[in-house]
Amino acid sequence: MMRHFLSRLMAPILVGLACATAQAGTDYALEAMEIEPGVWVVEGSTENFSRENGGNIVNTAFLETGAGVVVIDTGPSRRYGEALKRLIEGTTHEPITHVLLTHHHPDHVFGNQAFDPDTLYMLDTAKELLRRDGEAFADNMYRLVGDWMRGTEIIMPEKTLHPGEWEVGNRRLHLLEFTGHTGSDLVVFDEESKVLFAADLVFHDRALTTPQSPGLTTWIEDLELLEALPFRWLVPGHGAPSMGNMALQQTRDYLAWLDEALTRAASEGWSMTEVTAMDIPSRFDALEGSRYELTRTVTHLYPAYEKAALMLLE
Amino acid sequence: MSRWWLLVLLWAGLQAHAGVPADPFGSPMWEYNLERYLGADVQVRHDARIDLQVPAFAEDSAQVPLTLDLANFPHRPQRIIAWVDLNPVPHLFTYEPGVTPLRLIALNFRVQQATTVRAAVQDDEGIWHVASAHVDAAGGGCTAPSLTAANPDWERSFGTIRGRAFSRGDHLRYKTSVMHPMDSGMVDNIPAFFIEQVELRDGGEDELLLRLMLSESAAENPMFVFELPHPLAAPRLWMRDNHGNVFERRLEGETG
Ligand SMILES: [Zn+2]
């Protein structure tokens, strides 16, 4: 017993040391993959935030337009943002003119510091959400990935992005605002390359992060609108980019299952821990982190399903 | 001295400890809280037939779900005491039985840090059967601060009660939620304000079905789940907070 107790006390110290040595001289080692001419994706892992991956669990991207580079999201930390900027500068000779931030989650905007504040664009509602939740996210990120976050501060984007069609250089980008993932989610569609940057409305082989969804059915409706776009490539917020709509269908299938399972559980009076432990269909075996995310989903979303299944007693 | 004798002495030493087995989780609070809540001279044993369910980690430290399922526990519970070892006030609830045995109870609690959680169930011979579980401190990176805590509108919904009965074979599961801040008295000088007593009474004979005494570890806007054998008539739920507010509702019969 004593040994167990001691080992728990020791753990944080040992982790701290391991990080210090492993990270000296270690970088995010980002790589850009050109999926269409002038369109690059920087793919992260599908893991959870950890002290090993430094929060590099997210996809960022950039496009040449002939009139400057458009960047989509800045990553989880200042260090990531700086690595991304170096990668862009080593890949294209065009200057970075626009950085579009898809939503307020820390893994998408905490690299802002690396970029000229003049170039940072975000939807109005997403900015409000970042103002509201940013500090709490930062605390969480420092706790989860530790030293990788050193020097990271929340930078509020100066420019407000408005949905609509946008001519930039030789590209026409469609900027679409949805709400399913956080309440304000930007999607970018490039007509020229037919690449859809779906951000966190679509995950691929990774269980969805739902704590801030206004509702799973809202999210499903968003996906139906997305599917109508004539895209060839889909770049999800998490997981590998893919041709066609398989990632979108996987996301929708998972959402529909979740919504139905939570509705059924509530109608049968299940408790929260019972729902957390429910069977996840084997067709979702490929989705990394599904039990973990289900625990989170149930914590945040199940109470509304429960409430709807009860009657007001007067 | 042979090794065998050493073992015997070691075993005797453990036994000398008033019938308290070692804690599989090695919590520094194990013996202290056992004595605090169950008393000094008690028989305690770990019992895997008591199903204490908590999540592996606390995604929202203000709302951590707990289910205590006694379906496989062969004794009629005389008393149940649940606590959260490393909370400032560890006690979560004490259950006292009425005329029918409780099969399942669920409610949410708060945590301050990673901790073990205990449910001690006393059988009719006075022996305490303990189930333990561990909750890790916090979950993932996209967790926002609790919105209800910062919501100034709660007074409008204060005391709103929802409920429903669900059929579970020869049992009924009652689920009721009440809007109540359940302030623990340990945050920002907000005085303690929480429901401290919950009772369920048979709607016909007014006999007690169960009584629950709650403490500061219970979560805001509680959702109570109780599973009991079918009562004769739709039971009445009665609750009182530490400011003397009383809430009373008739729970609907079987609807689901
Ligand atoms: Zn996100």
Side-chain angles (χ1 to χ4, degrees):
Chain A
M1 292 315 115
M2 202 54 194
R3 201 187 62 82
H4 195 109
F5 176 54
L6 273 181
S7 68
R8 223 178 263 174
L9 284 180
M10 298 290 284
I13 303 161
L14 293 176
V15 167
L17 285 174
C19 286
T21 42
Q23 283 167 25
T26 305
D27 211 334
Y28 280 102
L30 301 181
E31 284 173 33
M33 171 173 67
E34 190 170 19
I35 58 172
E36 289 287 322
V39 179
W40 286 271
V41 177
V42 184
E43 191 183 333
S45 83
T46 53
E47 299 160 1
N48 286 325
F49 294 117
S50 74
R51 285 166 190 267
E52 286 68 47
N53 61 36
N56 182 16
I57 60 163
V58 62
N59 296 335
T60 57
F62 54 97
L63 304 87
E64 281 177 341
T65 69
V69 175
V70 174
V71 182
I72 299 176
D73 285 340
T74 60
S77 65
R78 173 186 192 148
R79 204 189 288 185
Y80 180 103
E82 288 166 353
L84 175 62
K85 191 177 176 210
R86 278 196 303 275
L87 178 68
I88 296 169
E89 287 166 350
T91 307
T92 159
H93 296 296
E94 294 184 15
I96 297 169
T97 54
H98 298 82
V99 179
L100 312 184
L101 303 161
T102 59
H103 63 294
H104 77 296
H105 277 163
D107 42 338
H108 298 260
V109 299
F110 276 19
N112 287 0
Q113 266 163 300
F115 298 88
D116 181 349
D118 257 12
T119 62
L120 299 174
Y121 290 77
M122 199 173 193
L123 294 164
D124 223 8
T125 309
K127 275 197 211 179
E128 265 171 51
L129 294 171
L130 180 56
R131 219 170 273 126
R132 187 193 73 186
D133 296 341
E135 289 297 334
F137 287 161
D139 289 348
N140 233 338
M141 290 296 287
Y142 273 92
R143 184 174 56 77
L144 290 165
V145 309
D147 197 47
W148 295 84
M149 295 295 291
R150 192 180 295 167
T152 302
E153 286 165 22
I154 300 163
I155 302 297
M156 287 303 299
E158 292 199 355
K159 305 274 177 56
T160 298
L161 197 64
H162 300 283
E165 283 178 31
W166 174 40
E167 305 267 1
V168 51
N170 50 31
R171 292 188 193 271
R172 184 201 298 262
L173 301 181
H174 296 244
L175 308 176
L176 307 154
E177 182 171 14
F178 295 94
T179 59
H181 176 59
T182 62
S184 181
D185 302 291
L186 174 72
V187 164
V188 180
F189 175 58
D190 173 34
E191 263 188 26
E192 163 76 20
S193 63
K194 297 208 169 3
V195 176
L196 178 65
F197 302 91
D200 279 8
L201 283 178
V202 177
F203 284 34
H204 188 196
D205 288 346
R206 171 68 168 86
L208 299 175
T209 304
T210 64
Q212 295 184 307
S213 173
L216 301 178
T217 50
T218 305
W219 194 333
I220 292 168
E221 285 161 23
D222 288 354
L223 293 182
E224 273 153 22
L225 294 171
L226 275 192
E227 192 157 33
L229 297 169
F231 63 89
R232 286 183 58 234
W233 274 98
L234 190 148
V235 180
H238 302 268
S242 57
M243 308 275 290
N245 66 357
M246 69 184 194
L248 196 151
Q249 278 175 0
Q250 184 188 61
T251 300
R252 188 173 50 195
D253 186 19
Y254 183 74
L255 284 170
W257 165 73
L258 257 186
D259 182 52
E260 196 226 280
L262 296 181
T263 304
R264 193 185 58 242
S267 77
E268 294 174 0
W270 292 26
S271 74
M272 272 176 107
T273 62
E274 289 169 338
V275 184
T276 301
M278 73 179 171
D279 289 337
I280 300 171
S282 59
R283 67 182 189 277
F284 300 127
D285 283 354
L287 274 60
E288 190 165 338
S290 56
R291 181 65 59 188
Y292 173 79
E293 291 297 345
L294 181 62
T295 305
R296 307 185 66 203
T297 298
V298 171
T299 302
H300 293 278
L301 303 186
Y302 189 57
Y305 287 84
E306 285 183 299
K307 195 171 159 183
L310 301 184
M311 290 171 300
L312 193 62
L313 302 180
E314 284 165 321
Chain B
M1 212 179 330
S2 74
R3 191 180 289 177
W4 189 82
W5 269 108
L6 270 175
L7 282 173
V8 169
L9 284 176
L10 194 64
W11 182 82
L14 287 172
Q15 290 306 299
H17 231 302
V20 172
D23 175 19
F25 289 94
S27 166
M29 299 301 286
W30 168 240
E31 291 188 8
Y32 180 79
N33 281 337
L34 272 183
E35 184 168 339
R36 183 174 181 181
Y37 294 119
L38 308 186
D41 207 11
V42 291
Q43 286 291 317
V44 173
R45 56 189 60 158
H46 299 296
D47 197 325
R49 296 167 299 183
I50 300 169
D51 184 13
L52 175 63
Q53 306 164 11
V54 296
F57 62 92
E59 168 64 14
D60 178 353
S61 61
Q63 295 282 350
V64 185
L66 175 151
T67 304
L68 182 67
D69 187 342
L70 299 172
N72 295 322
F73 185 65
H75 309 281
R76 191 177 171 123
Q78 299 303 302
R79 188 181 271 260
I80 304 171
I81 303 177
W83 66 91
V84 183
D85 272 314
L86 297 184
N87 273 5
V89 178
H91 182 255
L92 173 58
F93 70 80
T94 295
Y95 156 86
E96 293 169 6
V99 293
T100 53
L102 178 76
R103 189 166 76 169
L104 178 144
I105 179 172
L107 78 175
N108 286 6
F109 62 100
R110 308 166 198 265
V111 293
Q112 203 123 38
Q113 56 187 303
T115 178
T116 36
V117 184
R118 319 284 181 179
V121 184
Q122 193 175 35
D123 68 20
D124 30 26
E125 287 171 14
I127 297 169
W128 288 96
H129 301 255
V130 177
S132 304
H134 185 264
V135 184
D136 225 331
C142 293
T143 308
S146 167
L147 295 180
T148 37
N151 181 1
D153 284 348
W154 70 265
E155 286 183 54
R156 255 191 289 155
S157 55
F158 176 72
T160 301
I161 296 174
R162 291 183 176 78
R164 187 168 156 190
F166 301 87
S167 179
R168 296 264 153 169
D170 55 352
H171 282 61
L172 267 191
R173 176 177 288 199
Y174 291 100
K175 215 169 168 180
T176 56
S177 76
V178 53
M179 300 301 279
H180 198 291
M182 301 294 275
D183 290 318
S184 63
M186 276 170 279
V187 188
D188 300 338
N189 292 323
I190 299 168
F193 181 35
F194 60 94
I195 295 167
E196 50 184 9
Q197 195 169 336
V198 179
E199 288 183 6
L200 212 56
R201 286 180 177 276
D202 190 288
E205 302 295 319
D206 200 40
E207 283 176 314
L208 186 71
L209 298 175
L210 65 87
R211 178 180 292 130
L212 210 59
M213 315 295 283
L214 294 168
S215 289
E216 288 89 334
S217 287
E220 177 188 7
N221 299 331
M223 170 79 75
F224 300 111
V225 184
F226 306 117
E227 206 169 290
L228 303 158
H230 280 269
L232 295 173
R236 282 187 310 110
L237 174 75
W238 179 94
M239 294 181 279
R240 190 189 60 210
D241 68 26
N242 66 331
H243 287 199
N245 296 306
V246 170
F247 311 90
E248 201 168 0
R249 295 288 190 284
R250 189 182 163 85
L251 298 183
E252 299 301 319
E254 180 181 342
T255 52

